[in-house]
Amino acid sequence: MTQKDGRREGPAEASFEVLVQELVGTCSDWDENRELYVSEIIPQLQRGSTKPREGDLPLIERIRKVATEEQWESLPAIADQVANKPRLSAQDIAERRRQEREAQREVARELERERSAKAAALKAEDERRLQQHEKQLIAERELQLKRSAAAAALKENVEELKRERGAVARPLKEALKAVLGNSVAAADELNARIEHLELVDYRELKAAYLRQWIAEQLGEPKTSREQLDAIGDLAPSFLLKARAGSGKTSVVAQKTAFLVRHENIPPDAVMVLAFNEAAAREVRARVARDSGCPDYANARTFHSLAWQLVEPKSKPLFDEKTGNDQKQTEFLQELIDQAMTAELKERLYAFFRREMRELEAAGAFLSPEDYYLYRRNHEQETLRGEAVKSIGEKWLADFLFEHGLRYQYERIWYWSEEGHYRPDFTLLTRGQVPDVVIEHWGIDLKDGKRTVPDYWDQSWSDYRQLVDKKRDFWRNHNETKPDASVVLIETSVADMKDGREAFEASLKARLQNAGVAVVRQPLESLREALVRKRAFRFSKMVLQYIQKAKKQRLSPDAMADRIASATNTAPKTQAFLEIANSLYAAYQRELSRRQMIDFDDLLEAAIAVVARDHGRSRIKVQDERHIGLNDLQWIMVDEFQDFSTLFADLLAEIRKHNPAVRLFCVGDDWQAINGFAGANLRYFERFGETFAGARAGTLTNNYRSAPAIVELGNLFMSGKGDPSTPTQTSLAGKIEAVRCELVRIEQRSGDEYRRARESDTRFITYRDGGEGGRVIADPGMGMARVFKACHRILTQPRQDAKTTFAILSRVGRLGSYESMSAFGEKLRSTFTREELEIFGRFKERVRCGTAHSFKGLEADVTILLGVNRRTFPKIHPDNELYEIFGERMADILAEEERLFYVAITRAKSELYLLTETGRESEFLTRLNLAKEAGAKGSYGTFGDLVPEVKAETWGAAD
């Protein structure tokens, strides 16, 4: 029984009508009570809501079992239809049931036939697969036997081949050893002819030979494999990528000694070029003294080489990196003074008054993380010369300056044990006591949408709560100190929507309502004051512009064309470029008139000399010894990451006329921090594109620092190149973040605090107050806390009385201290006589400087000051002025990261990071986040960003 669509028809489907007939047949009075059966009795039987008659229940259940849903729901109507048909007799019903049973048996027989057919097919398929599997097993076994026989034969052949190759390799190996003993260059040539035979591991053989030679001849038994490979590589151009503390200067010195003493290169034919005289002097000393080449003297700076080639009539014009000898800046400042017409004063005032553009477009060039980091640390510069956080703060500061109002930016106020509070501006309108505070809110307090700048890491609600907290602070302050009450004036971004003039008018009204006399200073006197105050600063900015242009070999005319063709330049930047380029042209004319040159001109002239003389120029090495450029066989460049176009073109011109000279460069892309001076990292990154036949090697072993410090540097620079490998496992390593706000400077009255007050007076900075008096120059005690923290670190008990210290800052000026040397003098004065006697030789053991100035140096203990926002990193507003030289925001931020890496890797055993709660540098935050993400390594006490500081060591909060 099969339907047309192929589905089997169950026998039960045919019995529904029979069962309904049977149901109707039980209702003998159907005709008289039809309506009752259809509307009530059958529906009640369906629902089970009435007691069925005998026989009805099984009948109803059978009907329900065979009926479809549609049939069951329509059962009363179907019963009515059946009742109207002729009734089946008992004999008819029995016949139908017999037919149904026969149909069921037929379906069962058909199903059995199908099952039998399928079982037979499956059995046949199983037998076929079994036979196939047996055949496969037999084939695999045969193949296995064949392979075993072949393997045995091959093993015998290999052993025979090894014996044959060994017989050939031994004399080759001995031959290479013999040649190595005479010349590595000759051994390299011999190996080049036989290396395709793969009989000798020449690199291993060469490294073993060099290790023995250096140990015996140079007294260096622990030279690493990385160093050996670099020393023995004689490629035409080679870049050694050397991480901090990896011994790169040792490699340069040892390679020079190796070339002279082993390869018989004349000492004068190996020239080492360094970027400063101290590095050149160190290489000369190491080669001459430590490496046994007393005649070696040809290590010099690029500028020394250029001087020898050009032989200028007068000393080049330049600024000393440290000290007050700033002749180049003073020369330029003299030109600016001469050009200082009323028009230029007006242009300068407008320039400094204008704000830098906001950086909405930065997101197109930076990753989201770097964009937020850049924006949070970007600054604006005020007319008075301060760096402030926003355009609104600049408008405020400029207004106060233009109206002669005395103010302090972010003066420290004591809040509570939670920390300190730094309102934006604190005004002293009636003498020495602050009486007005101005807070500029970064949100619109009435903003229904509750929007905040996209680079903030704080929500609108959190910021709004902080606003209320600060308002409460001043309310409580005025209630508890009515004699020293302070007026709080509030401005916000909402006040800036109608422009600067409207903002200033609103601010003026609020100040006047607070009783402050607001009188704008005469514009001419403001311009004069600004010129006096900012002349040296502006000269430095223009000098940086000139140096960047010269290092890219761009004349004033070339720069004028570039400026004219630049698009989308911000108004302030455009103003600066026009003024700076006109001064660049005047600077060059005045140098020519006086027959003077600067260091960039010196290098430019040197390139011209080499080209003119076709490389036949001679340079003095020592006394009467000279050598021609075409006679040089090796040029080694230290600190190659600081290369620039001028240096590259000078080397290219030398190699053009002396193509045989080999080039060996050493540098660390993680320490490229001189972009501000025109250095271009692309020469390091594209070394193979710049120099033909180039090879590269690495030095990753760190011989300077404890593992904790090495791993911290790796953690910070993670993903930016090969990490360093610590080797100084004997150093314990200590890294600690110090919360400066927890360092107490005792100022409480009372005899119980007298001794602490007197002791802490030495840390306070004073200035001349007139009439022989003095006043506190640091009323918030921010610098005093720094001095006390440094003092405590320096005087901690240590086993080695010769421990050296480096105190480093991102900026050269700290508070009222014009230089880090002045900071060091003040720090020394905080030591009592007894402390100095115990400490001994303060100036020899403690060096204070900027992070930039300390590159290449080291100390047992490093103290890094101001590890706060807008200091690390410091996104200086001037950066935007030099975008025309191809400097991108990403490059600026990357250099700030590298500067922080340089600073923290100066330490050998101890590193202290001075910060403040709530103002921590994002660099510290990054280290913690990376560490929590599973970075490995020991970090000393750097367990948290701000570890618990012991009260007996640092003092509790004020």
Side-chain angles (χ1 to χ4, degrees):
M1 296 175 63
T2 305
Q3 293 182 355
K4 292 180 181 179
D5 62 359
R7 291 185 296 108
R8 283 193 175 278
E9 183 184 67
E13 293 180 9
S15 66
F16 174 72
E17 185 177 348
V18 173
L19 292 172
V20 175
Q21 284 273 13
E22 189 174 345
L23 176 64
V24 172
T26 63
C27 304
S28 58
D29 56 346
W30 179 278
D31 294 334
E32 294 82 1
N33 297 293
R34 171 187 169 280
E35 184 66 29
L36 179 63
Y37 280 111
V38 172
S39 60
E40 293 185 22
I41 295 176
I42 293 178
Q44 288 174 358
L45 288 172
Q46 284 179 298
R47 295 194 299 270
S49 58
T50 185
K51 183 178 180 180
R53 296 169 301 172
E54 184 179 357
D56 283 350
L57 182 59
L59 186 58
I60 285 293
E61 288 177 350
R62 289 173 64 197
I63 292 173
R64 179 68 185 96
K65 186 175 181 181
V66 301
T68 64
E69 289 297 326
E70 184 179 356
Q71 288 172 334
W72 177 255
E73 290 176 1
S74 304
L75 180 60
I78 294 172
D80 189 32
Q81 292 173 3
V82 169
N84 292 326
K85 293 179 181 180
R87 305 285 176 89
L88 293 175
S89 65
Q91 187 178 356
D92 291 337
I93 293 173
E95 177 60 23
R96 285 205 177 186
R97 286 181 177 175
R98 186 192 65 75
Q99 290 174 358
E100 288 171 8
R101 287 195 296 272
E102 181 60 30
Q104 288 175 349
R105 285 193 292 270
E106 180 59 30
V107 168
R109 285 193 294 269
E110 188 172 342
L111 287 173
E112 181 60 29
R113 286 193 295 272
E114 287 182 1
R115 281 196 293 268
S116 298
K118 286 182 179 179
L122 288 172
K123 183 177 180 181
E125 178 64 19
D126 288 343
E127 289 177 354
R128 186 187 64 78
R129 288 181 178 177
L130 181 60
Q131 291 173 359
Q132 185 178 1
H133 182 61
E134 289 173 348
K135 290 179 181 179
Q136 186 177 351
L137 287 176
I138 292 170
E140 288 178 356
R141 179 60 179 162
E142 291 174 350
L143 181 60
Q144 185 177 4
L145 291 172
K146 290 178 181 179
R147 284 177 175 172
S148 298
L154 180 60
K155 184 176 180 182
E156 180 61 30
N157 291 339
V158 168
E159 294 299 324
E160 180 63 26
L161 183 60
K162 284 182 179 179
R163 289 191 290 271
E164 292 176 359
R165 289 171 64 88
V168 178
R170 278 191 294 275
L172 282 177
K173 189 173 182 180
E174 294 304 318
L176 283 168
K177 280 185 179 180
V179 178
L180 279 168
N182 294 319
S183 169
V184 168
D188 286 351
E189 291 178 7
L190 174 59
N191 180 66
R193 294 198 296 271
I194 65 172
E195 64 180 346
H196 66 282
L197 300 175
E198 298 181 352
L199 295 171
V200 180
D201 187 346
Y202 178 65
R203 288 186 70 241
E204 192 63 40
L205 182 71
K206 183 177 178 180
Y209 173 78
L210 288 172
R211 180 177 287 109
Q212 182 178 354
W213 186 88
I214 292 172
E216 293 175 353
Q217 301 298 320
L218 305 183
E220 294 287 348
K222 296 182 179 180
T223 310
S224 72
R225 177 59 185 269
E226 289 180 323
Q227 293 171 321
L228 293 169
D229 287 344
I231 292 168
D233 198 301
L234 305 181
S237 300
F238 188 91
L239 174 61
L240 181 60
K241 302 174 182 180
R243 291 285 178 247
S246 60
K248 64 181 180 64
T249 305
S250 296
V251 170
V252 172
Q254 290 173 18
K255 188 177 183 79
T256 303
F258 160 74
L259 292 172
V260 172
R261 296 180 56 184
H262 190 279
E263 298 298 292
N264 297 314
I265 306 294
D268 296 345
V270 181
M271 179 169 66
V272 177
L273 291 173
F275 280 79
N276 60 70
E277 180 54 37
R281 191 164 50 245
E282 182 180 2
V283 171
R284 282 197 301 269
R286 286 203 186 191
V287 177
R289 181 187 66 242
D290 301 337
S291 299
C293 297
D295 290 340
Y296 184 75
N298 198 6
R300 62 183 71 241
T301 64
F302 274 92
H303 293 113
S304 171
L305 171 62
W307 176 277
Q308 290 278 324
L309 293 169
V310 177
E311 296 182 334
K313 296 179 181 179
S314 60
K315 187 177 180 180
L317 196 63
F318 70 99
D319 287 345
E320 292 285 356
K321 289 187 177 180
T322 58
N324 297 320
D325 192 357
Q326 304 285 295
K327 289 186 173 58
Q328 191 174 11
T329 300
E330 291 167 1
F331 176 87
L332 182 59
Q333 192 171 346
E334 183 182 334
L335 288 179
I336 294 174
D337 290 342
Q338 293 172 4
M340 193 57 70
T341 61
E343 179 189 359
L344 182 56
K345 288 179 183 178
E346 183 178 349
R347 292 176 70 189
L348 281 178
Y349 192 84
F351 165 73
F352 279 109
R353 196 172 191 272
R354 223 179 239 131
E355 63 273 5
M356 288 295 186
R357 65 181 172 185
E358 289 287 8
L359 302 174
E360 285 81 7
F365 306 101
L366 299 172
S367 68
E369 295 78 10
D370 286 349
Y371 169 69
Y372 300 143
L373 181 60
Y374 197 102
R375 288 298 306 268
R376 284 196 292 267
N377 290 277
H378 186 259
E379 298 174 335
Q380 296 286 338
E381 190 173 26
T382 70
L383 286 171
R384 203 171 78 169
E386 296 137 329
V388 296
K389 299 187 292 290
S390 66
I391 290 176
E393 288 188 357
K394 173 176 168 55
W395 288 1
L396 277 163
D398 288 352
F399 181 90
L400 299 176
F401 173 81
E402 290 177 331
H403 291 79
L405 296 172
R406 294 171 57 199
Y407 70 87
Q408 292 175 318
Y409 178 63
E410 292 193 336
R411 178 191 188 273
I412 298 176
W413 292 75
Y414 173 66
W415 190 303
S416 67
E417 285 73 13
E418 299 177 14
H420 293 85
Y421 168 33
R422 294 172 177 262
D424 295 328
F425 298 92
T426 300
L427 276 62
L428 294 83
T429 63
R430 301 185 184 90
Q432 301 295 332
V433 180
D435 50 11
V436 174
V437 161
I438 303 177
E439 281 281 27
H440 181 73
W441 310 127
I443 62 171
D444 179 355
L445 301 179
K446 298 179 180 179
D447 181 10
K449 296 181 179 179
R450 299 189 169 195
T451 55
V452 298
D454 58 3
Y455 56 91
W456 277 21
D457 56 1
Q458 190 174 25
S459 70
W460 192 94
S461 298
D462 289 343
Y463 188 90
R464 186 66 174 79
Q465 289 177 8
L466 185 61
V467 169
D468 292 337
K469 191 174 181 180
K470 290 178 178 180
R471 287 172 171 172
D472 290 341
F473 173 86
W474 294 114
R475 190 179 300 110
N476 294 334
H477 172 88
N478 292 338
E479 289 174 358
T480 56
K481 299 178 181 178
D483 295 336
S485 63
V486 172
V487 176
L488 172 64
I489 295 178
E490 302 177 46
T491 65
S492 77
V493 293
D495 300 312
M496 301 173 63
K497 293 178 180 177
D498 295 326
R500 187 166 185 170
E501 289 185 7
F503 177 84
E504 291 179 342
S506 174
L507 176 61
K508 180 178 180 179
R510 296 179 199 187
L511 286 167
Q512 288 175 332
N513 289 339
V516 179
V518 184
V519 181
R520 184 181 177 89
Q521 304 296 299
L523 187 57
E524 186 57 35
S525 65
L526 286 172
R527 289 172 180 166
E528 291 292 338
L530 180 130
V531 169
R532 286 195 308 272
K533 186 175 183 63
R534 311 304 299 283
F536 187 78
R537 161 97 172 91
F538 187 71
S539 299
K540 283 287 189 184
M541 293 166 62
V542 175
L543 181 58
Q544 190 172 354
Y545 169 90
I546 292 172
Q547 290 174 334
K548 286 178 179 290
K550 287 190 168 188
K551 283 183 172 59
Q552 292 191 21
R553 306 188 74 183
L554 295 168
S555 66
D557 288 342
M559 284 304 304
D561 292 340
R562 183 175 285 198
I563 293 168
S565 61
T567 58
N568 197 30
T569 305
K572 182 165 187 171
T573 302
Q574 186 68 30
F576 171 77
L577 293 176
E578 291 171 358
I579 297 172
N581 204 53
S582 65
L583 291 169
Y584 178 19
Y587 173 86
Q588 288 299 97
R589 288 194 299 271
E590 188 64 15
L591 284 178
S592 178
R593 188 183 73 80
R594 299 192 195 183
Q595 295 185 324
M596 297 172 64
I597 59 173
D598 58 24
F599 271 145
D600 292 322
D601 292 332
L602 183 64
L603 287 164
E604 193 72 58
I607 295 170
V609 168
V610 177
R612 182 195 67 201
D613 296 342
H614 302 285
R616 291 188 290 268
S617 308
R618 297 180 65 78
I619 55 175
K620 180 180 178 181
V621 177
Q622 191 178 44
D623 299 329
E624 300 302 318
R625 286 160 49 194
H626 293 74
I627 189 169
L629 293 181
N630 289 345
D631 296 323
L632 290 172
Q633 296 186 42
W634 280 86
I635 297 176
M636 296 201 236
V637 181
D638 193 15
E639 303 290 357
F640 186 73
Q641 74 276 355
D642 292 331
F643 225 49
S644 70
T645 301
L646 271 175
F647 297 138
D649 289 353
L650 177 57
L651 274 188
E653 194 64 40
I654 292 173
R655 296 190 90 185
K656 175 182 177 181
H657 303 289
N658 180 5
V661 68
R662 296 174 185 262
L663 184 66
F664 182 81
C665 301
V666 184
D668 182 4
D669 55 337
W670 284 6
Q671 297 188 71
I673 60 173
N674 288 323
F676 71 94
N680 194 330
L681 191 56
R682 70 181 177 88
Y683 290 103
F684 187 99
E685 295 171 337
R686 303 175 187 174
F687 187 82
E689 301 173 21
T690 306
F691 301 103
R695 285 208 294 261
T698 58
L699 286 186
T700 59
N701 288 337
N702 186 299
Y703 301 100
R704 171 191 298 154
S705 304
I709 294 168
V710 176
E711 293 295 345
L712 187 73
N714 289 340
L715 184 65
F716 183 71
M717 298 298 285
S718 177
K720 301 179 186 298
D722 295 331
S724 290
T725 303
T727 63
Q728 293 287 8
T729 54
S730 61
L731 295 176
K734 179 180 182 182
I735 304 170
E736 186 170 332
V738 177
R739 292 185 288 182
C740 285
E741 78 277 4
L742 294 185
V743 179
R744 177 191 295 284
I745 300 297
E746 188 59 76
Q747 293 179 286
R748 290 175 291 185
S749 59
D751 288 342
E752 67 270 31
Y753 306 118
R754 180 176 57 82
R755 289 185 61 185
R757 258 195 331 269
E758 292 174 352
S759 176
D760 284 354
T761 299
R762 55 182 163 161
F763 302 115
I764 299 174
T765 300
Y766 295 92
R767 61 178 173 83
D768 184 9
E771 299 181 359
R774 63 177 188 170
V775 295
I776 295 176
D778 178 32
M781 298 297 147
M783 286 302 302
R785 292 181 173 87
V786 171
F787 282 121
K788 187 170 183 179
C790 291
H791 180 274
R792 290 296 177 88
I793 294 170
L794 264 59
T795 54
Q796 286 180 14
R798 291 181 175 85
Q799 293 181 347
D800 189 353
K802 297 180 180 179
T803 300
T804 57
F805 299 85
I807 302 177
L808 306 180
S809 170
R810 170 64 182 84
V811 294
R813 176 171 181 165
L814 289 176
S816 59
Y817 296 92
E818 295 285 343
S819 65
M820 285 301 292
S821 59
F823 174 92
E825 288 297 323
K826 168 64 178 179
L827 180 60
R828 184 179 183 277
S829 73
T830 65
F831 279 65
T832 65
R833 182 179 301 175
E834 294 77 10
E835 288 172 338
L836 277 177
E837 288 178 358
I838 296 171
F839 191 83
R841 302 192 309 280
F842 183 91
K843 292 185 177 180
E844 293 179 24
R845 295 181 60 191
V846 181
R847 288 175 290 179
C848 301
T850 63
H852 275 103
S853 69
F854 219 72
K855 184 167 76 76
L857 303 177
E858 61 186 37
D860 298 312
V861 180
T862 294
I863 305 171
L864 189 56
L865 308 180
V867 189
N868 300 320
R869 278 189 185 178
R870 302 197 344 264
T871 304
F872 282 105
K874 186 172 183 63
I875 309 299
H876 201 282
D878 288 358
N879 290 329
E880 185 182 323
L881 304 176
Y882 307 109
E883 288 178 353
I884 197 163
F885 296 107
E887 297 179 4
R888 303 171 302 164
M889 297 176 203
D891 298 329
I892 294 164
L893 184 57
E895 185 157 321
E896 287 295 308
E897 291 173 338
R898 295 192 293 265
L899 181 61
F900 185 74
Y901 169 79
V902 167
I904 63 179
T905 54
R906 300 307 92 195
K908 290 183 180 180
S909 57
E910 296 178 35
L911 173 64
Y912 295 89
L913 306 163
L914 272 57
T915 186
E916 294 179 46
T917 304
R919 303 182 73 213
E920 302 93 341
S921 164
E922 282 91 345
F923 288 168
L924 286 183
T925 307
R926 178 196 299 181
L927 286 170
N928 266 19
L929 290 175
K931 187 178 171 211
E932 290 170 2
K936 298 178 181 179
S938 170
Y939 293 91
T941 60
F942 198 71
D944 298 303
L945 175 61
V946 280
E948 189 65 30
V949 183
K950 294 181 179 179
E952 63 266 27
T953 303
W954 303 102
D958 297 79

